[in-house]
Amino acid sequence: MARILIERDGQAPIVYDLNWGLTRVGRGPDNDVVLSDPSVSYHHCEFELGLDFLKVKDCGSTNGTYVGGRKVEEESVSSGTQLRLGQAMVRVDWFGDTAVVVPKIEVPRPPESVPLGDGVMSCRNHHEIRALWHCLACQQYFCLRCIRGVNLVGRPVHKLCPLCSGHVELAPWAMPEQKKKSLWGLVKKALSRTDRIG
């Protein structure tokens, strides 16, 4: 942000904000800043404001543009610089030439599952709880408390990932173990089938 203050004897200064880019100053009504002083030319000068610079450039004025008592064609200016446009006294206020301190912000890392031993992972959100569900889309592990369920009438609950709403399945360590069937169990099953056929 930058501005110029038109200083007048015994009166409060008139303040004009400068535009980003060019601000034209002169006596003519088509200027951005209109000064009604007769010593100021119709198009007297222009200020150019960038991110890290502020310049004043004379536009071929009759009575000249002066920075610190020196007539200039183009000059870089800083905050507090005194200018004279014809006989009009101008002071520059510019906040872009002071150092801006940007605080360093530590962005916390999102939580992740941690190994609990024997190939078992913890829930992504609760490190002390064993994960039961694994998201196929984002590859994250969750406990039962974290999983969202969708109930469809007449169907089993459809479980979804709380992060990406992807489909989840039981984690490998949470799947029920398949019991090996004994030889006698297989014989009984085969006999019950033959009884039904007969």
Side-chain angles (χ1 to χ4, degrees):
M1 179 181 160
R3 58 188 186 173
I4 56 173
L5 293 83
I6 312 301
E7 298 179 338
R8 303 173 296 167
D9 290 334
Q11 298 180 37
I14 303 171
V15 179
Y16 294 97
D17 289 331
L18 298 178
N19 304 321
W20 288 106
L22 296 178
T23 303
R24 185 175 284 174
V25 180
R27 204 173 67 249
D30 60 338
N31 290 289
D32 299 303
V33 176
V34 178
L35 300 180
S36 55
D37 190 307
S39 67
V40 174
S41 294
Y42 196 83
H43 293 134
H44 195 98
C45 68
E46 59 189 21
F47 288 89
E48 184 180 1
L49 175 62
L51 286 175
D52 57 355
F53 69 91
L54 177 60
K55 295 180 186 176
V56 63
K57 180 181 178 184
D58 187 75
C59 295
S61 65
T62 305
N63 295 317
T65 300
Y66 294 81
V67 175
R70 232 170 9 92
K71 188 174 182 180
V72 297
E73 295 297 319
E74 185 173 333
E75 184 83 10
S76 291
V77 292
S78 58
S79 190
T81 301
Q82 295 283 342
L83 294 97
R84 184 164 56 85
L85 312 179
Q87 296 304 312
M89 298 303 294
V90 176
R91 183 166 47 90
V92 174
D93 265 354
W94 179 38
F95 307 110
D97 60 349
T98 57
V100 177
V101 178
V102 179
K104 186 176 180 182
I105 299 171
E106 292 289 335
V107 179
R109 285 189 62 175
E112 294 181 7
S113 295
V114 295
L116 297 177
D118 294 331
V120 176
M121 298 296 285
S122 75
C123 172
R124 179 183 187 270
N125 300 323
H126 307 98
H127 291 158
E128 69 284 356
I129 298 176
R130 181 177 180 235
L132 296 176
W133 298 95
H134 176 236
C135 177
L136 299 174
C138 67
Q139 299 299 313
Q140 297 294 323
Y141 293 98
F142 299 97
C143 66
L144 190 59
R145 282 190 342 205
C146 294
I147 293 300
R148 294 187 348 230
V150 176
N151 288 321
L152 300 174
V153 177
R155 294 190 180 185
V157 176
H158 188 70
K159 296 189 176 355
L160 300 175
C161 173
L163 283 183
C164 68
S165 298
H167 179 70
V168 294
E169 65 179 15
L170 280 173
W173 52 86
M175 290 191 181
E177 291 183 21
Q178 295 288 334
K179 291 185 177 177
K180 291 184 180 177
K181 296 200 174 184
S182 67
L183 181 59
W184 178 241
L186 292 173
V187 170
K188 277 173 56 177
K189 189 174 181 182
L191 288 175
S192 67
R193 280 189 191 158
T194 54
D195 286 347
R196 274 185 254 149
I197 295 171

